[in-house]
Amino acid sequence: MKRIQDFSVIDTIWLNSSSYILILKSERTLEKIEPGNFAEIKIPDTSDIFLRRPISVYDVDHDKNEISFYIKAIGKGTNKLGSLLPGNKVNIIYPLGNAYTPVKNKNVLIVGGGTGIAPFKLLGEQLSSLGSRVTYVFGARTSEEIVLSDIFSKFGEFNCTTEDGSLGEKGLVTLHSVFNNIKDFDIVYTCGPDPMMKAVSKIAEDNNVRCEASLENMMACGIGACLCCVTPTIRGNAVVCTEGPVFHSTDLKW
């Protein structure tokens, strides 16, 4: 069930010069949150930022009623969120969107880039608990942008690429050697920039491997009212914030 409520900031953990984990605490029992769900976060104490920011849930601790978000400070709104102090209040609408499909006892490949790595802590944790063998491969421009590898490694094999070759294999993420064995995987999950997801989806589809992609369209409302996130699919236009953000790649008209 969707809920709109105030949360208190517990901590802001900066991972590098441009990305951080924002940890929020609820005074109420959290709603059920699944891998792939997101929240619409209101930027507090601003008179010139009207739209909420759609942010994927990175982690959730139901025992502590805490929810965490992986955020890149790339604009005024996300920089403001990164400057919040413990005790500050933040209003969010959650949980929004659908979720990735969990599978048991399968070989799974998780491909992420940019802020698209956000849902993959919860997803990897869920899949590994179901007996699936998880392989991660994340892409970035430089080694500084490869973050949280120690966390992801708890749930599966962690691989990465950097465009400058400073960490992992050099090149785009879709050129990583793990794709040489794409047919060994039962399903691919991906999230990140559209060109990356489109390339990942094509590789999967060409090898008859199921692929689920989480779109990162602009989502102003998160509840299907404004229709700014509509994307074309084989069944017609879909509202990403309510019918997605996770889609089977074969349903999308890239």
Side-chain angles (χ1 to χ4, degrees):
M1 179 182 295
K2 299 180 183 66
R3 182 191 295 176
I4 178 170
Q5 71 172 91
D6 288 336
F7 281 67
S8 297
V9 174
I10 295 298
D11 200 3
T12 303
I13 304 170
W14 284 87
L15 306 172
N16 55 30
S17 60
S18 62
S19 61
Y20 58 93
I21 300 292
L22 178 64
I23 305 174
L24 306 178
K25 184 177 180 64
S26 171
E27 296 301 321
R28 302 165 60 185
T29 300
L30 292 177
E31 295 289 339
K32 182 180 180 181
I33 298 171
E34 298 180 299
N37 289 164
F38 69 98
E40 286 278 358
I41 304 180
K42 184 177 181 180
I43 310 302
D45 303 322
T46 57
S47 59
D48 57 344
I49 302 177
F50 302 102
L51 298 179
R52 293 173 181 263
R53 296 298 187 264
I55 308 289
S56 293
V57 176
Y58 166 72
D59 198 10
V60 59
D61 187 329
H62 285 282
D63 292 332
K64 296 181 179 179
N65 290 326
E66 292 180 358
I67 184 171
S68 302
F69 300 92
Y70 169 70
I71 301 173
K72 279 201 169 187
I74 56 176
K76 190 172 183 179
T78 48
N79 272 287
K80 174 64 177 179
L81 289 175
S83 70
L84 296 177
L85 301 175
N88 288 163
K89 298 295 184 181
V90 180
N91 185 271
I92 74 172
I93 306 173
Y94 87 105
L96 299 173
N98 63 357
Y100 287 103
T101 304
V103 294
K104 296 181 179 180
N105 303 314
K106 301 293 185 180
N107 287 331
V108 304
L109 177 62
I110 296 178
V111 187
T115 55
I117 70 171
F120 292 147
K121 189 272 181 185
L122 281 180
L123 181 62
E125 186 175 24
Q126 179 191 62
L127 293 173
S128 62
S129 72
L130 293 173
S132 288
R133 181 179 180 274
V134 177
T135 300
Y136 290 102
V137 58
F138 291 167
R141 288 174 295 182
T142 69
S143 59
E144 184 192 18
E145 297 178 352
I146 298 294
V147 296
L148 301 166
S149 58
D150 57 327
I151 301 298
F152 292 111
S153 295
K154 294 178 181 179
F155 311 114
E157 176 188 324
F158 184 83
N159 306 276
C160 69
T161 65
T162 50
E163 293 179 24
D164 65 357
S166 55
L167 186 65
E169 296 184 16
K170 184 176 182 179
L172 300 177
V173 68
T174 48
L175 299 178
H176 193 279
S177 57
V178 72
F179 285 98
N180 295 335
N181 302 308
I182 187 65
K183 291 184 178 180
D184 292 342
F185 296 99
D186 299 295
I187 186 170
V188 177
Y189 303 95
T190 186
C191 184
D194 274 2
M196 183 207 78
M197 291 195 292
K198 183 177 180 180
V200 170
S201 298
K202 186 177 188 308
I203 294 172
E205 292 164 20
D206 287 349
N207 289 276
N208 297 312
V209 178
R210 178 180 169 188
C211 180
E212 292 187 355
S214 180
L215 302 187
E216 295 189 312
N217 294 31
M218 179 182 293
M219 303 178 203
C221 71
I223 57 173
C226 69
L227 302 180
C228 76
C229 64
V230 168
T231 195
T233 75
I234 61 173
R235 297 178 180 82
N237 289 335
V239 181
V240 174
C241 67
T242 55
E243 298 177 68
V246 179
F247 293 88
H248 292 291
S249 63
T250 53
D251 288 343
L252 295 169
K253 287 187 174 181
W254 295 101

